[in-house]
Amino acid sequence: MTGTVKEEILTRQAEVGIRFENGRLTFSPFLLESAELLSAPRDFTYLLDFRQN
Amino acid sequence: MEHLISHGRRQIAFIAGSPDDLSGDSGRRLQAFFAACAHFGLEQDARRVVYGRHVYDGGFAAADQLLQSGIPFDALIASNDESAIGAMDAIKQAGKRIPEDVAVIGFDNRLEGAVQQPGLTSIHVPLFDMGYQAVEQMYRHLVQGELLPPHREDVHLVVRSSCGCGGNGEAFLDEEVSAGRPLFQQMAAQIRKQAFDLSADSARFHPGALRARLNQPRLSYANVPYRIKPYADLLQGPYNTILFDRALHERIEAESRQHGTDARLLRDANGEVLHASLTEKLLTLLLAKLVNFVPEGGIWMNTQRPEWNDANNALVGRGLSVVTLGYLRRFLAFFRDLIQPEDGDFPLHTEIAILLENIAAILGRFAPVLEENFTPEQRRAMMDALGEGEAILNLFEETFRHAEFTGRSGTFFAYEGLGSVYWHMVSKLLLAAQETALRFQDTPFAADLVAAYRAIREGLGYRKSPAEYGAFRIRTRPNTTGRASRA
C-alpha cells in the first residue's frame, strides 16, 4: 500500500479548496461535497495512544 | 510457433528460462514448446533448446551457444523479450540477418522490443488486467468467502518485423493510447490550445521569485562518484551502464569528514564550490535527458536508477521510458515560457554551452524528419548523434541524473513488487484526475471530470471500511493482558 496514503492526504487536502494564488490564500469549494459537511454539531471519537499507560 | 511455421520456418530453436526452474514457469514454457513441436510434426533436437535465464546477457550467451553448436535453425522463440533482445544482438554480431536468416519471436511485448532493429514480434500479456483480476479475486475471497475458479487472461501475438512480417508494431500504441473516447479527444484538443502554465506552481506562492533567480549563480552541483560509460560501451552492454569511481568516493568521504557537506559538491580547480544559475541548472537537466532521446520511442534509461512514476521502469531502471518523455515535454513548455520573455545574456559553464550548441545543431539537422516519420536508419542516426554528442559531458549529466533521485529507498522497488506498483498507480491516477478536474473546472468537462475523480476515489483507502480490507477483530484469552484487543 506504499504510496497511496500520501496521495490520499494530498487529494483530500485539495478537496477542501484552499490554495495559494498569486501569493494569497484563496478558497474554492469546487471539489467539496456538501454531503460530507455536518448539518449539526456531533461528537468526534478518537483513540489515544495506549502505550503511554 | 504456428506463426513461424506460416512463414515456412521448420527448424525452430527455443531459449528457455532457467534450467533450475523446470518444475516452475520455465518448465511449463518448455513443455509448451515440445508439445507444439510434436503437434506440428517438427523434428526435435536437444541442441535447439538453450537457457537464457530471462535476462539480456543470458539470451546473448544462449544464442551464441546455438550458433557455436552448428545445429541449423531458421527461427528462434525466446521465453521472454529481454532474452530475445540479447539473442538478436548475438545473431546480428554473428553476421546473420533477422528475419531473413533467423526469425525471432519474444514474449511479454515490452516497449524496448518495439524499437529493436528489426522490431521484435512478441506475445502481449495483459499485465494490468491480470493484476486487477488477482486483486478482485483475493478481495472477493477474503470479504465474501467466495472461492472462484482460476481466471485466465488471453494473450495475443503482436506482429512487428523480426518474425518476417513487415509490421512495425502499431498494435502496441493502438491498444495502449488511442482509446478513442470523445471526452479524451476533446480534452486533448483543449490542452493543446492552452499554454502550459507550470511556472504558476511557483508563482502561486511567490510571484516573480523564480524569474529573479534565473541569472544568479547561487546553485551548486553534487559530485556523485558514478560515471555513465561512453556511448559505444552502452551500445555493447545496455544493461550494464555505470561505473563506480571508488577513488573519488573515498576522497569525498575523507574530505567530508574534514570539511563537512561542502566536500560533496562539485568544485573547481582551486577547490572552490562551482556555482551555477537556475537557467544553467534547468538547461543541464533538459540536455541530460535529450542526449538519451530516441525519436518515436522515448527516453533511453541508462543510469540503472529507477525513474519516478514510471511503473514499468521503476522496477528495472532501464529500457525506454515514454513517461519520462512526457515529463520532458511538460518541462520544455515550462522552460520556454520562463525563458522567452527574457532578453539578455545568460552566462553558462563552457561544457554546458558546448553541449547546448551540439544538441541544437543535431535537432536542427533532423528537423525535417521530426515533422515526418522516422525510418529505423534515421532513428538510429539521431540516437547515435545525440549519444556521441554527450561524450564531452558525462560528468554533468551524471551529476544531474543522480541528483534527481534522492527521495526514495531502492528497497521499495526491490521487495514490494507488483501489488505495490498497482496501488501506487491507482493513487497517482487519483492525484492526476484531481489536478485535471481543477484545471478544467471552468470548462464544459468539469462535471464529468469531478465524477471520474470521485469514481477513482471510491476504489481507495479511506473510503473503505477495515472489513472490506479483510481486517477482523482479534479475540483475546482471559489470561492475556488484553492489549491485543485494544490495539
Side-chain angles (χ1 to χ4, degrees):
Chain A
M1 296 293 285
T2 314
T4 63
V5 174
K6 179 185 67 195
E7 273 80 11
E8 284 179 11
I9 292 173
L10 288 175
T11 49
R12 196 71 175 143
Q13 281 181 340
E15 281 177 26
V16 179
I18 298 174
R19 270 170 67 90
F20 269 94
E21 292 292 347
N22 211 17
R24 296 203 172 97
L25 265 181
T26 63
F27 179 69
S28 156
F30 170 66
L31 276 179
L32 202 59
E33 267 180 288
S34 54
E36 288 201 69
L37 300 173
L38 297 178
S39 50
R42 224 171 69 183
D43 286 341
F44 176 60
T45 311
Y46 58 95
L47 296 175
L48 287 171
D49 188 346
F50 63 85
R51 283 171 300 187
Q52 288 166 6
N53 297 338
Chain B
M1 296 277 288
E2 201 176 340
H3 186 74
L4 288 171
I5 290 163
S6 77
H7 278 291
R9 310 293 165 131
R10 302 287 295 173
Q11 298 169 326
I12 302 175
F14 186 69
I15 296 187
S18 166
D20 304 326
D21 182 37
L22 292 182
S23 58
D25 208 35
S26 295
R28 279 199 297 277
R29 292 181 192 192
L30 189 55
Q31 290 309 318
F33 172 74
F34 288 142
C37 284
H39 178 80
F40 293 109
L42 303 179
E43 58 155 31
Q44 292 188 38
D45 187 313
R47 286 174 296 172
R48 288 210 185 97
V49 175
V50 284
Y51 295 91
R53 302 189 323 281
H54 292 144
V55 297
Y56 174 91
D57 292 342
F60 191 98
D64 213 33
Q65 186 189 334
L66 270 175
L67 294 161
Q68 299 292 331
S69 75
I71 178 89
F73 63 104
D74 55 15
L76 176 66
I77 294 179
S79 63
N80 77 336
D81 278 1
E82 197 172 319
S83 57
I85 291 169
M88 283 172 78
D89 283 352
I91 291 167
K92 283 188 274 186
Q93 275 189 26
K96 290 189 180 290
R97 295 164 305 161
I98 303 169
E100 293 86 346
D101 301 325
V102 181
V104 181
I105 292 184
F107 190 92
D108 287 337
N109 192 25
R110 290 262 299 262
L111 194 53
E112 295 100 301
V115 294
Q116 298 300 311
Q117 283 194 45
L120 177 62
T121 292
S122 188
I123 310 284
H124 182 77
V125 185
L127 281 180
F128 183 91
D129 293 336
M130 285 163 68
Y132 188 91
Q133 287 287 345
V135 172
E136 190 183 13
Q137 287 214 358
M138 266 194 299
Y139 169 76
R140 286 173 62 178
H141 177 61
L142 287 167
V143 175
Q144 290 150 10
E146 289 179 57
L147 192 55
L148 300 163
H151 177 90
R152 282 185 180 274
E153 291 284 340
D154 288 334
V155 298
H156 64 265
L157 188 72
V158 175
V159 174
R160 295 195 180 90
S161 310
S162 67
C163 57
C165 293
N168 54 11
E170 284 91 355
F172 195 102
L173 291 174
D174 282 349
E175 257 178 25
E176 307 288 333
V177 180
S178 71
R181 300 185 190 94
L183 180 64
F184 177 82
Q185 288 168 354
Q186 281 177 333
M187 281 173 58
Q190 182 96 3
I191 287 170
R192 277 194 293 272
K193 265 191 285 174
Q194 279 194 344
F196 281 88
D197 194 15
L198 294 180
S199 56
D201 280 344
S202 164
R204 267 169 38 211
F205 294 93
H206 299 290
L210 207 54
R211 191 167 296 286
R213 302 186 67 174
L214 280 178
N215 230 349
Q216 296 170 355
R218 301 207 307 204
L219 302 167
S220 57
Y221 290 99
N223 193 5
V224 181
Y226 289 94
R227 298 289 173 259
I228 294 183
K229 292 179 182 175
Y231 181 70
D233 292 357
L234 298 185
L235 293 179
Q236 290 296 314
Y239 294 146
N240 186 9
T241 55
I242 55 176
L243 296 168
F244 180 56
D245 187 341
R246 182 164 294 281
L248 176 62
H249 169 72
E250 281 164 6
R251 205 175 75 221
I252 291 170
E253 290 303 313
E255 289 180 0
S256 64
R257 276 192 289 277
Q258 203 184 343
H259 301 294
T261 50
D262 270 14
R264 296 185 188 280
L265 302 176
L266 200 61
R267 290 186 285 172
D268 63 19
N270 301 322
E272 297 295 321
V273 172
L274 209 67
H275 287 117
S277 66
L278 180 62
T279 303
E280 180 175 310
K281 295 282 281 191
L282 292 174
L283 205 52
T284 311
L285 176 64
L286 177 64
L287 297 175
K289 297 290 181 204
L290 277 178
V291 294
N292 292 319
F293 174 55
V294 180
E296 300 172 346
I299 300 295
W300 183 18
M301 316 284 292
N302 52 24
T303 57
Q304 296 183 233
R305 298 285 309 236
E307 182 88 351
W308 256 119
N309 298 343
D310 193 344
N312 250 330
N313 288 295
L315 293 171
V316 291
R318 62 196 187 206
L320 272 183
S321 170
V322 177
V323 174
T324 305
L325 184 60
Y327 278 124
L328 190 65
R329 184 173 176 274
R330 279 174 60 142
F331 179 85
L332 269 169
F334 156 74
F335 194 55
R336 186 191 55 201
D337 289 351
L338 191 65
I339 288 293
Q340 223 159 32
E342 301 288 326
D343 58 346
D345 291 335
F346 288 89
L348 298 174
H349 283 104
T350 317
E351 295 89 337
I352 303 291
I354 292 173
L355 183 62
L356 175 63
E357 280 167 11
N358 280 358
I359 289 185
I362 294 164
L363 290 174
R365 182 145 53 91
F366 285 91
V369 199
L370 285 164
E371 302 284 322
E372 311 283 328
N373 292 324
F374 275 75
T375 65
E377 291 74 22
Q378 287 168 325
R379 184 178 303 117
R380 176 62 189 266
M382 182 162 182
M383 194 180 137
D384 285 347
L386 289 169
E388 279 149 13
E390 162 197 35
I392 50 161
L393 209 69
N394 266 334
L395 180 83
F396 277 89
E397 193 218 348
E398 191 43 42
T399 303
F400 253 90
R401 292 309 207 90
H402 283 80
E404 281 172 72
F405 311 115
T406 49
R408 193 80 187 199
S409 109
T411 327
F412 167 79
F413 301 105
Y415 295 114
E416 295 191 36
L418 191 63
S420 168
V421 169
Y422 174 76
W423 288 113
H424 208 80
M425 283 160 58
V426 178
S427 63
K428 297 288 180 213
L429 178 65
L430 178 71
L431 190 56
Q434 189 191 53
E435 285 174 355
T436 309
L438 287 169
R439 184 166 158 203
F440 289 90
Q441 59 179 287
D442 299 322
T443 70
F445 319 122
D448 282 342
L449 291 169
V450 172
Y453 167 71
R454 292 194 177 139
I456 296 165
R457 200 182 59 173
E458 285 307 312
L460 277 172
Y462 71 96
R463 304 294 291 184
K464 292 192 183 296
S465 68
E468 281 178 284
Y469 277 115
F472 49 89
R473 198 176 287 276
I474 297 172
R475 267 191 298 263
T476 51
R477 295 203 195 99
N479 61 350
T480 63
T481 62
R483 284 200 165 187
S485 65
R486 275 194 282 168

